[in-house]
Amino acid sequence: MENGTQIFRPTEDPSDCVKKVKSLMWVYVLVGNIIRGIGETPIMPLGISYIEDFAKSENSPLYIGFVETGAIIGPLIGLLLASFCANVYVDTGSVNTDDLTITPTDTRWVGAWWFGFLICAGVNVLTAIPFFFLPKTLPKEGLKNNADIIKNDKKEKQREEVKKEKDGITKDFLPFMKSLLCNPIYMLFILISIVQFNAFVNMFTFMPKYLEQQYGKSASDAIFLIGIYNLPPICIGYIAGGLIMKKFKITVKQAAHIGCWLSLIEYLLHFLCFLMICDNSSVAGITTTYKGMQQDLYVGNTILADCNRDCNCPTNTWDPVCGNNGVSYMSACLAGCETSVGTGINMVFQNCSCIQTSGNSSAVLGLCDKGHDCSMMLQYFLILSAIGSFIYSLSAIPGYMVLLRCIKPEEKSLGVGLHTFCTRVFAGIPAPIYFGALADSTCLHWGILKCGESGACRIYDSAYFRYIYLGLPAALRGTSYIPAFLILIILKKRLLPGENACSGTVLVEAKFTGKENESKDMNQNSKVLNDDELKTKL
């Protein structure tokens, strides 16, 4: 107590080091995710191959579009669920949330992440039940009324299964792998997928963090905005792409051009995002001086000033407050505040010596808002992101059909599986690691745990973070168009499996058409024989 008032100190002092018992619960989460990944991964590659084998060639793009749309609707619902869970405190039920002094906009806030796992686990069990009732094989679509063809097809399938059992899986595996590795279109497509998937994994994974740091949104709001603005256009684009392929009977070569040029248009629109920027949050001692002037972000430690030098404030504590002068401070102590009124998130700090205003200097919990102009920039960014998502998803189905139609029918399952494996291993795993390391290099202030260990980053240099978030994916995607143009050149001179050299259309059902013609010829021949026999008897 000084002069009847209480000098405010941060609620958490890094010097109070208490040895905590390390928990191994993360191992259970890791093992659970591994098991879930093993179960979910075969669904997409094998399911798409399943559709491609038993659907008409002109209908399969539409069906695959519906499957891909379902794969987007799930994340859409998941993001809405995550937005709800992020607004609930992680220890809800065990602590009194009314006593909390942080809000969801605070970087120290941890949402109830575990709640989403419980809900998704129950849903996964329910959705797994229908897969047990799928038949092992289906009649080719469009040939249901021809019993002879279905019967012959079943016999052929049985002979193939018996042959596979005798020869073993490994006998066909190596020749199929050699055939796929020697297929230039297939290998170039895998290269494109790896590079582009690296870019999109980075953008989608760190988009909530980008919206937080660039536009000052909370984690829950950022997740909600992504789900509303990005995922519905992707769903519409997938269905529209499948309908276009079905309606106009797009050939493989035409699909390759559509996918390439639409993707290039979206890539050029991506550069407009560099114009939709906001300034760094004004934090005294980090991005601005205590007089409100911009300062060099890497000049060293300027956290202490004359107004708070005698307050004995810890310089590593992050408990931000927003002064009524529009400047944020790392803590109420560093703002020079002497008294506080209220409790919880409604606490107001008064008599702050570092806040220079004409009237009573005061501060409230949390960082200051970035203003109306930044909110407008956020709207422009989200609208452009929605347009880009629609254009790119419109090109996804034609591009995917190039992958399916450039390989032989008997190699389709292995080819789709190998494509999925390569994108997951060479893009899905390493991309968040190296991109996260690059993003951390733009950190301006690290949180410090009780025992002096480095914690999470509290504030980033938004300009450099923007260059990495937007620039690195742009560079990766730019290099992917080199193999894309090579594919277009190769397709001009190459005859794909099951393609008619005259018309250029894919005849996936040639085998079944031949069987149908053969059965018609047999019927005609039998009819001629019966007529000759009748004439002989007469």
Side-chain angles (χ1 to χ4, degrees):
M1 299 291 290
E2 295 183 10
N3 298 328
T5 61
Q6 181 181 1
I7 300 294
F8 181 78
R9 295 284 190 273
T11 56
E12 183 178 299
D13 190 350
S15 62
D16 298 335
C17 181
V18 179
K19 189 69 176 178
K20 292 184 178 180
V21 179
K22 292 185 178 180
S23 175
L24 296 177
M25 294 301 294
W26 63 272
V27 177
Y28 294 98
V29 178
L30 176 63
V31 173
N33 276 322
I34 291 175
I35 296 174
R36 182 177 61 86
I38 293 173
E40 292 178 358
T41 298
I43 294 176
M44 287 302 292
L46 297 182
I48 289 175
S49 178
Y50 191 84
I51 293 173
E52 180 69 8
D53 287 340
F54 297 107
K56 286 184 178 180
S57 60
E58 64 267 21
N59 290 340
S60 60
L62 180 61
Y63 297 155
I64 293 174
F66 281 124
V67 172
E68 296 288 349
T69 301
I72 296 299
I73 293 176
L76 172 60
I77 299 173
L79 285 174
L80 297 178
L81 175 63
S83 178
F84 167 75
C85 294
N87 265 324
V88 180
Y89 191 62
V90 63
D91 292 328
T92 183
S94 60
V95 298
N96 186 6
T97 55
D98 294 334
D99 296 335
L100 294 176
T101 59
I102 57 176
T103 61
T105 58
D106 198 302
T107 55
R108 296 167 297 167
W109 179 276
V110 180
W113 55 269
W114 52 268
F115 190 58
F117 275 93
L118 296 179
I119 297 176
C120 293
V123 174
N124 280 338
V125 172
L126 295 178
T127 55
I129 296 175
F131 284 92
F132 290 99
F133 299 96
L134 288 176
K136 188 174 183 180
T137 183
L138 287 173
K140 185 73 176 180
E141 188 181 34
L143 302 175
K144 294 181 180 179
N145 297 328
N146 199 325
D148 294 335
I149 296 176
I150 296 174
K151 185 176 180 180
N152 293 333
D153 187 53
K154 286 183 177 179
K155 290 181 179 179
E156 184 179 347
K157 292 284 186 182
Q158 291 175 356
R159 286 195 297 267
E160 290 178 356
E161 290 178 1
V162 172
K163 184 176 180 297
K164 287 181 180 179
E165 290 178 359
K166 291 181 179 179
D167 297 340
I169 299 175
T170 56
K171 185 175 181 181
D172 291 335
F173 177 77
L174 293 178
F176 285 174
M177 281 293 296
K178 182 180 178 181
S179 177
L180 290 174
L181 295 176
C182 295
N183 188 334
I185 298 178
Y186 177 76
M187 295 306 297
L188 287 172
F189 195 93
I190 285 184
L191 179 60
I192 295 171
S193 300
I194 291 173
V195 176
Q196 295 238 3
F197 201 59
N198 266 279
F200 284 108
V201 165
N202 292 332
M203 293 194 68
F204 191 77
T205 304
F206 291 90
M207 192 172 184
K209 179 67 70 176
Y210 181 74
L211 296 182
E212 288 180 57
Q213 296 296 323
Q214 188 70 30
Y215 302 105
K217 306 303 292 184
S218 66
S220 59
D221 289 343
I223 294 171
F224 179 79
L225 291 173
I226 293 170
I228 295 299
Y229 278 88
N230 288 87
L231 298 187
I234 294 177
C235 296
I236 297 172
Y238 279 144
I239 296 176
L243 286 173
I244 292 173
M245 292 282 293
K246 175 180 171 61
K247 178 70 176 177
F248 299 100
K249 294 182 171 60
I250 305 296
T251 64
V252 176
K253 296 178 180 178
Q254 292 171 342
H257 280 277
I258 291 173
C260 179
W261 297 115
L262 283 177
S263 175
L264 184 61
I265 292 172
E266 189 275 332
Y267 173 69
L268 296 177
L269 288 176
H270 172 75
F271 287 94
L272 295 177
C273 294
F274 284 93
L275 304 176
M276 300 162 192
I277 61 176
C278 292
D279 295 330
N280 283 307
S281 296
S282 297
V283 180
I286 297 180
T287 60
T288 62
T289 64
Y290 278 85
K291 294 181 180 180
M293 303 295 293
Q294 294 291 328
Q295 70 173 17
D296 190 351
L297 301 180
Y298 304 97
V299 295
N301 187 4
T302 59
I303 294 175
L304 295 177
D306 294 336
C307 59
N308 56 23
R309 200 174 300 276
D310 297 331
C311 298
N312 297 322
C313 301
T315 58
N316 292 326
T317 300
W318 181 262
D319 199 0
V321 295
C322 176
N324 57 357
N325 60 347
V327 178
S328 300
Y329 300 85
M330 290 177 57
S331 67
C333 182
L334 288 172
C337 300
E338 297 181 353
T339 61
S340 63
V341 178
T343 58
I345 59 176
N346 298 318
M347 188 179 298
V348 178
F349 306 98
Q350 298 176 343
N351 300 329
C352 303
S353 59
C354 294
I355 300 176
Q356 300 176 358
T357 56
S358 57
N360 183 25
S361 57
S362 62
V364 295
L365 288 170
L367 292 172
C368 298
D369 293 333
K370 291 198 171 186
H372 176 72
D373 292 340
C374 190
S375 298
M376 293 304 299
M377 287 294 177
L378 172 62
Q379 294 298 323
Y380 298 148
F381 175 81
L382 292 173
I383 292 172
L384 182 63
S385 178
I387 295 173
S389 298
F390 171 75
I391 296 175
Y392 190 83
S393 61
L394 192 64
S395 67
I397 298 301
Y400 206 81
M401 297 312 298
V402 175
L403 170 69
L404 294 176
R405 302 289 168 82
C406 75
I407 52 181
K408 298 176 183 178
E410 61 270 16
E411 301 170 358
K412 200 165 293 179
S413 297
L414 179 61
V416 176
L418 182 62
H419 172 265
T420 305
F421 172 81
C422 291
T423 53
R424 298 290 176 88
V425 172
F426 298 110
I429 295 175
I433 297 174
Y434 69 77
F435 195 87
L438 290 173
D440 286 343
S441 66
T442 66
C443 184
L444 296 177
H445 182 76
W446 288 95
I448 303 297
L449 302 179
K450 285 186 176 181
C451 295
E453 299 176 356
S454 179
C457 182
R458 301 308 185 189
I459 184 172
Y460 293 85
D461 182 354
S462 61
Y464 282 104
F465 190 84
R466 179 175 66 252
Y467 295 149
I468 291 176
Y469 176 77
L470 299 176
L472 181 59
L476 289 171
R477 292 187 59 193
T479 59
S480 70
Y481 289 103
I482 298 174
F485 291 135
L486 289 177
I487 288 180
L488 297 182
I489 295 173
I490 295 173
L491 282 174
K492 288 183 179 181
K493 306 175 182 178
R494 187 181 179 87
L495 190 66
L496 297 177
E499 189 178 56
N500 190 344
C502 298
S503 61
T505 56
V506 178
L507 301 178
V508 177
E509 299 171 9
K511 178 177 66 176
F512 298 96
T513 305
K515 290 180 181 179
E516 189 174 359
N517 293 333
E518 184 181 353
S519 62
K520 288 181 180 179
D521 294 339
M522 291 176 63
N523 290 333
Q524 291 177 357
N525 293 334
S526 62
K527 184 177 180 181
V528 171
L529 290 173
N530 290 335
D531 291 342
D532 293 341
E533 186 179 355
L534 181 61
K535 288 179 182 179
T536 304
K537 288 182 178 180
L538 289 174

